[in-house]
Amino acid sequence: MRSSFFGLEIAARGLFTSQRALDITNHNINNVNTPGYSRQVGIQKASRPIGLFDGTGMIGTGSEITAVKRIRDDFLDYKYWSENVSFGEWETKKIIMEDMEAIFNEPSDSGFNKVLDEFFSALQELSKNPGSLQTRELVKSKGITVSKYFNSTAAQLQKIRSDNNYAFKIKVDEINSYAKQISNLNEQIYKSELDGNTANDLRDERTVLLDKLSKLINIQASEVVVGKLPNGKEDRRFQVTLNGSYLVNHFRAYELEYFEVNDATSPKDGMYDVRWKDSKNPVEPKGGELKGYMDVRDGRGINGEYKGVPYYIDRLNEFARNFAKAFNEGIFKDGNQYYAGHAGGVGLDGSTGIRFFSYEENGTAKSSAELMASGADMDSVYKNITAFNITLSSDILDANNGIYKIAAASSGGESENNENINQLLRLRHDTRMFDEGAPEDFMKSLVSNLGIDAQQAVRISENQDSIVQQIENRRLSVSGVSIDEEMANMVKYQHAYNAAAKMISVIDQIYDVTINRMGA
Amino acid sequence: MRVTNTMLIRTMMLNLNSNLARMDKVQQQMATGKKIRVPSDDPIIAARALKFRTDVAEIEQFQKNTSDAMSWLEVTETALANMGDVLQRARELTVQASNGTLTDEDRQKIKAELGQLKQSIVEIGNTTYAGRYIFAGFKTDTAPFAVDGAGNLTYQGSAVNSAPTGQEIFYEISVGNRMQVNVEGYKLFWDGTDERIFKTFTDLEAAIDSGDQAQINSCIEKFDRDMNQLLTIRADVGGRMNYIELTENRLQDDYVNFTSLMSKNEDVDMAEVIMRLKSEENVYRASLSAGARIIQPTLVDFLR
């Protein structure tokens, strides 16, 4: 014999089930725009049936929602993180390379080529009128322009390095902050899942943090089963590793720290590097923004290294140094002397042995004699000249008689003698000066190199961007909330609710008959 | 595949963004007239742009150099022409002087005129151009020719036949191509074995004084010989001017070629860019209106 109110009991469950389902739908609709939110569905089951002892079998007892499930494809998260790391790296490189292109400002009417063109034009004018003080003044001022170009370009490149260094530091802080937040979430998730529930929304939050973290550095994230809990559920712990070491292990976050490198032999000298705070073991980022900053900041382009800012500074130094040496001494990169050079010529005042280019220290230009005394041999003398400090020698810079010392002539007392200046003019097309060829070829190859590298960074970052977007779209396809779908569900559950309520009123009528109308 | 609302909006935003980026690029090309803004836009175009800029700058410089070389040579040519006229007159006078019927007084008149011509020879040798003595070799700041106490012509303070050599002034008129612009003055008066022109005048004066008719006659031949040498030098100068003129023409052609190559390399075709901007604009408008249609309605709008 069934219990009298069994029907009411079933109908009430139907109400509860539909209400719970509407709640879930409501929650989904609310979070349609929440970043990282995964839609949730109620797992609805027929509730436990009751066995009948009269041989009829079992009778259903209605329905219930047994769990609220988060719809998510873990594989897509894994893919997202592994592609995002490369996106982070190349996007960073792209932005910095674009800055560098702006610094070189080529092709334009104010870049290096223009400066060098004008310098050689001034020399041409001097060659045609070596006795004229005006043309000498022109050569001097164009010479200053050339050296100033190097000074300011090198200084701006150095500025990019220090800006990157600062950004690097901030990114390390960010990683630590994310790791800390993930470990906190791990704790909350673990505790709320002890009774077998899934902490859907907290898990979503954690995934968002991992999305962000994966853009900064190469991480692996996984949930591992370490045993069974007393209640028979799996004991799941969440771990994030970086190069095989734990960044987050369950409730614990391991911090990274930045420190300034003080090692003149290292390309990172004076810059920040990153290591584990506890063990002080080094961390070598293999991807992400951190690697992007490091590569561009420190890459010298040697042995397959990335061609970062130091590479371009090195090349500018190389140019300044070798051009100064060739111009002053007529000595090329291979160490052979091909021309008499500026030092081999004679000035209007009969002076000879004067170097045109020199370097400055503490804002003071070295004289020709000081330059030559600064090293034991030619190589060590010219090692002192860098793109940062190249300038004209103080002999030439001298406001009173500097321009008389510009050595246009091959011998003294001959105002129209332009033999030496003509030799210096030959430097412009002498392809033996650099490995790349003549001075302009060197710069041309540098600029096209920069262009190609920047183009590569743009392409890779755009590709990675679209890959990441693609994966994100697939994630959204699986986990995203569709309002249409939720609306349909809403209508569905509303009808189910109405129907269950109707059942109650039908049963109510039955009872009304049996209780109130019988025997009356 | 499920399509969700966030997906729709994201895709629309991505598309709008990439349309805008393309429009921005075309707009930039239109505003600057250049195909590229930075080397990474097209490293090949960038490298070639650098080369063409240098080439054009050099050609411009060479054009200045050729015109300066030309001016120098024109002044030289005029001086040599004047000297030719002087020699021509001197020869005429010599022919007159060789006439045996002349009186001594007539001869002295001729001699006086010859003296003036002789003086102008020195003056022509000291011709200046923009304050520089063009026949002075490297020492253009001092007059190269003078007459010493003994009445001999000196070049830069020493005898003409012991003049310093190797003071040729070269201007670069195209890559690696240098043209001598000056004539070393002593070469007008010294052919390597004999002294010329000025010596002929001196010999003639002596012959007139001594009344040596045979000597006077031989001076006619000497003037012919001197004029020949002068013509050789003038021909050389003329040849150089010719060559410079050719170079000037070639530089002019090069300039046109290189500037047009430069333009082809880096400048945009305006008509094409305007067309592209127009079509990008259409694409953008279309994606805006498509987006506006797609994102608005949901089932919500149709439920009571």
Side-chain angles (χ1 to χ4, degrees):
Chain A
M1 184 63 195
R2 70 186 270 273
S3 132
S4 301
F5 297 115
F6 187 52
L8 268 184
E9 194 65 33
I10 298 176
R13 282 199 189 180
L15 287 181
F16 294 147
T17 304
S18 302
Q19 257 173 354
R20 180 59 44 85
L22 278 170
D23 286 343
I24 295 168
T25 303
N26 195 356
H27 185 57
N28 281 342
I29 294 169
N30 272 283
N31 286 294
V32 64
N33 289 328
T34 305
Y37 179 80
S38 333
R39 71 191 160 110
Q40 296 172 9
V41 294
I43 306 299
Q44 187 175 353
K45 269 187 181 166
S47 54
R48 205 176 169 81
I50 297 172
L52 294 175
F53 305 107
D54 60 1
T56 320
M58 302 187 90
I59 184 133
T61 59
S63 67
E64 62 184 348
I65 302 268
T66 56
V68 182
K69 212 179 140 202
R70 169 179 179 249
I71 306 296
R72 190 100 197 164
D73 184 343
D74 290 340
F75 171 70
L76 289 176
D77 288 336
Y78 166 80
K79 269 198 74 132
Y80 185 92
W81 299 330
S82 61
E83 296 295 346
N84 202 25
V85 71
S86 166
F87 173 55
E89 175 183 342
W90 287 97
E91 194 198 27
T92 306
K93 285 180 178 169
K94 179 190 100 172
I95 293 168
I96 305 169
M97 295 302 274
E98 280 173 351
D99 286 352
M100 296 218 310
E101 285 188 288
I103 286 177
F104 276 94
N105 190 21
E106 292 280 16
S108 76
D109 294 326
S110 55
F112 173 81
N113 263 46
K114 183 75 178 176
V115 169
L116 202 67
D117 282 345
E118 285 185 352
F119 178 59
F120 275 107
S121 286
L123 290 176
Q124 288 276 7
E125 291 300 323
L126 180 63
S127 138
K128 287 185 295 179
N129 201 351
S132 148
L133 297 185
Q134 286 91 325
T135 55
R136 284 171 174 266
E137 199 59 64
L138 188 70
V139 167
K140 178 179 159 187
S141 74
K142 294 298 177 190
I144 293 173
T145 311
V146 168
S147 47
K148 285 262 187 285
Y149 174 87
F150 280 108
N151 301 158
S152 79
T153 307
Q156 287 184 69
L157 287 175
Q158 193 59 41
K159 173 84 170 39
I160 285 197
R161 275 199 90 195
S162 57
D163 290 351
N164 282 357
N165 196 38
Y166 184 71
F168 180 84
K169 180 176 126 174
I170 303 275
K171 293 296 168 187
V172 172
D173 287 338
E174 256 180 63
I175 291 171
N176 283 336
S177 151
Y178 289 145
K180 188 79 205 145
Q181 291 178 57
I182 289 169
S183 69
N184 286 340
L185 279 169
N186 280 349
E187 196 168 347
Q188 290 180 47
I189 292 166
Y190 187 76
K191 286 180 177 161
S192 44
E193 289 185 350
L194 274 177
D195 59 0
N197 290 325
T198 46
N200 293 326
D201 298 324
L202 294 174
R203 281 179 173 265
D204 284 344
E205 266 184 56
R206 185 169 67 188
T207 310
V208 170
L209 285 175
L210 282 160
D211 287 353
K212 289 180 180 167
L213 187 58
S214 67
K215 201 179 173 194
L216 296 180
I217 197 161
N218 50 302
I219 46 134
Q220 297 276 332
S222 58
E223 197 165 37
V224 289
V225 178
V226 293
K228 293 265 186 196
L229 292 168
N231 63 5
K233 302 279 180 191
E234 284 174 334
D235 188 3
R236 292 172 168 272
R237 303 196 162 176
F238 192 76
Q239 296 166 341
V240 182
T241 58
L242 162 56
N243 293 345
S245 305
Y246 288 123
L247 181 63
V248 179
N249 185 12
H250 202 32
F251 298 171
R252 164 122 205 239
Y254 293 84
E255 270 188 72
L256 298 176
E257 66 174 8
Y258 50 80
F259 64 100
E260 200 175 299
V261 178
N262 284 307
D263 173 6
T265 62
S266 163
K268 292 176 182 161
D269 187 39
M271 298 284 150
Y272 290 119
D273 203 352
V274 62
R275 67 187 172 202
W276 293 102
K277 193 170 187 178
D278 296 334
S279 65
K280 308 289 180 205
N281 284 333
V283 174
E284 183 74 41
K286 293 198 167 62
E289 291 184 21
L290 222 51
K291 180 169 189 327
Y293 282 117
M294 267 185 140
D295 277 358
V296 181
R297 193 193 65 185
D298 305 327
R300 300 197 101 93
I302 305 164
N303 301 329
E305 272 178 40
Y306 191 76
K307 282 184 266 177
V309 182
Y311 169 81
Y312 290 95
I313 293 180
D314 285 350
R315 300 311 305 275
L316 285 181
N317 283 344
E318 183 189 344
F319 186 91
R321 201 168 274 159
N322 288 316
F323 187 70
K325 199 197 315 188
F327 196 85
N328 282 356
E329 320 284 348
I331 297 174
F332 284 176
K333 227 186 147 187
D334 58 10
N336 293 334
Q337 184 169 24
Y338 292 99
Y339 300 102
H342 191 269
V346 182
L348 207 53
D349 59 358
S351 60
T352 184
I354 300 292
R355 271 74 190 174
F356 189 78
F357 288 107
S358 179
Y359 67 101
E360 62 179 21
E361 209 168 57
N362 304 323
T364 318
K366 296 271 178 193
S367 73
S368 185
E370 283 167 331
L371 170 72
M372 296 321 286
S374 67
D377 54 22
M378 276 304 170
D379 275 349
S380 50
V381 164
Y382 281 93
K383 276 259 151 54
N384 291 319
I385 295 184
T386 65
F388 292 97
N389 67 16
I390 188 171
T391 184
L392 305 192
S393 67
S394 60
D395 312 71
I396 305 282
L397 286 175
D398 189 297
N400 294 324
N401 53 18
I403 53 171
Y404 290 90
K405 297 194 190 301
I406 295 173
S410 56
S411 59
E414 297 171 345
S415 64
E416 203 73 21
N417 184 331
N418 64 359
E419 287 186 330
N420 201 52
I421 206 81
N422 276 344
Q423 275 210 3
L424 291 176
L425 280 170
R426 280 177 216 265
L427 289 176
R428 183 176 199 178
H429 290 286
D430 201 316
T431 51
R432 295 171 297 186
M433 197 190 296
F434 293 101
D435 291 340
E436 289 79 4
E440 269 134 17
D441 298 331
F442 181 95
M443 222 48 201
K444 204 172 69 191
S445 100
L446 190 61
V447 168
S448 53
N449 234 319
L450 176 64
I452 289 165
D453 286 353
Q455 195 182 39
Q456 182 205 30
V458 170
R459 277 200 186 136
I460 298 182
S461 84
E462 277 174 1
N463 282 346
Q464 281 306 123
D465 192 16
S466 63
I467 291 173
V468 168
Q469 298 295 351
Q470 176 62 25
I471 299 171
E472 174 65 8
N473 249 10
R474 280 170 65 193
R475 287 209 305 199
L476 283 170
S477 166
V478 174
S479 306
V481 176
S482 155
I483 291 187
D484 291 344
E485 186 180 282
E486 299 301 328
M487 283 293 118
N489 283 339
M490 187 185 77
V491 172
K492 186 170 84 182
Y493 295 127
Q494 192 189 3
H495 283 308
Y497 184 90
N498 289 347
K502 191 77 186 171
M503 277 307 295
I504 289 179
S505 81
V506 166
I507 292 167
D508 174 57
Q509 281 170 24
I510 292 171
Y511 287 136
D512 185 44
V513 169
T514 48
I515 296 170
N516 297 325
R517 311 266 171 93
M518 286 203 348
Chain B
M1 186 162 111
R2 276 179 89 240
V3 178
T4 62
N5 295 73
T6 318
M7 257 170 94
L8 274 179
I9 293 168
R10 273 178 68 93
T11 311
M12 188 191 79
M13 288 311 293
L14 282 174
N15 287 336
L16 282 183
N17 240 326
S18 64
N19 287 341
L20 265 183
R22 277 207 311 276
M23 225 161 80
D24 176 54
K25 182 152 192 178
V26 180
Q27 193 276 125
Q28 210 162 50
Q29 288 185 335
M30 208 163 124
T32 59
K34 301 285 175 201
K35 284 181 197 157
I36 61 165
R37 186 177 56 88
V38 283
S40 59
D41 288 343
D42 192 329
I44 310 279
I45 289 186
R48 283 171 57 193
L50 290 185
K51 185 191 177 300
F52 286 137
R53 277 178 160 70
T54 299
D55 287 343
V56 169
E58 258 191 331
I59 290 169
E60 281 172 348
Q61 182 61 43
F62 288 142
Q63 284 180 328
K64 281 191 218 161
N65 289 4
T66 46
S67 92
D68 284 350
M70 202 59 165
S71 307
W72 184 298
L73 284 170
E74 273 165 3
V75 174
T76 307
E77 156 68 20
T78 310
L80 294 179
N82 288 342
M83 202 171 277
D85 292 346
V86 169
L87 282 185
Q88 192 60 47
R89 175 72 188 145
R91 188 183 181 280
E92 280 167 26
L93 288 173
T94 314
V95 173
Q96 275 182 36
S98 66
N99 189 340
T101 62
L102 287 184
T103 62
D104 276 354
E105 198 185 340
D106 291 337
R107 287 211 182 81
Q108 282 310 312
K109 274 185 192 152
I110 289 171
K111 193 192 158 197
E113 191 178 344
L114 280 170
Q116 272 163 11
L117 291 176
K118 188 177 165 191
Q119 185 54 41
S120 68
I121 286 283
V122 178
E123 274 161 19
I124 292 168
N126 287 335
T127 300
T128 61
Y129 162 57
R132 293 135 83 191
Y133 293 94
I134 57 168
F135 291 114
F138 286 152
K139 296 189 173 172
T140 54
D141 50 352
T142 46
F145 292 106
V147 181
D148 67 7
N152 293 317
L153 185 69
T154 61
Y155 179 70
Q156 293 186 6
S158 46
V160 168
N161 59 17
S162 67
T165 55
Q167 299 203 338
E168 293 127 346
I169 297 167
F170 287 95
Y171 284 8
E172 191 169 8
I173 54 168
S174 62
V175 177
N177 184 5
R178 290 185 164 72
M179 170 60 70
Q180 187 186 345
V181 294
N182 69 334
V183 171
E184 289 165 280
Y186 72 90
K187 286 191 173 162
L188 297 170
F189 303 99
W190 166 252
D191 74 346
T193 43
D194 272 328
E195 282 191 48
R196 298 285 164 105
I197 305 180
F198 196 81
K199 179 78 175 1
T200 311
F201 274 100
T202 312
D203 290 350
L204 182 58
E205 280 170 339
I208 290 172
D209 279 344
S210 62
D212 185 342
Q213 211 59 42
Q215 271 293 336
I216 293 175
N217 280 334
S218 81
C219 280
I220 298 173
E221 279 164 39
K222 280 184 184 169
F223 274 126
D224 286 342
R225 181 201 64 180
D226 293 351
M227 263 191 285
N228 255 333
Q229 192 188 338
L230 190 66
L231 279 175
T232 313
I233 293 173
R234 277 182 74 178
D236 175 38
V237 168
R240 284 192 242 161
M241 287 168 79
N242 236 329
Y243 184 78
I244 288 172
E245 223 165 87
L246 282 177
T247 309
E248 259 176 347
N249 290 339
R250 214 195 64 223
L251 287 172
Q252 187 61 43
D253 291 347
D254 283 355
Y255 184 79
V256 173
N257 286 340
F258 277 100
T259 45
S260 79
L261 276 175
M262 186 161 94
S263 164
K264 264 186 200 142
N265 179 54
E266 60 186 62
D267 291 350
V268 290
D269 177 347
M270 260 310 157
E272 191 193 317
V273 172
I274 292 170
M275 290 295 291
R276 271 179 42 217
L277 186 69
K278 212 64 208 157
S279 96
E280 293 295 350
E281 201 187 319
N282 284 338
V283 172
Y284 181 63
R285 281 174 184 281
S287 58
L288 273 180
S289 80
R293 272 160 197 279
I294 285 169
I295 58 171
Q296 269 180 358
T298 62
L299 192 47
V300 181
D301 301 279
F302 300 93
L303 289 177
R304 277 178 290 117

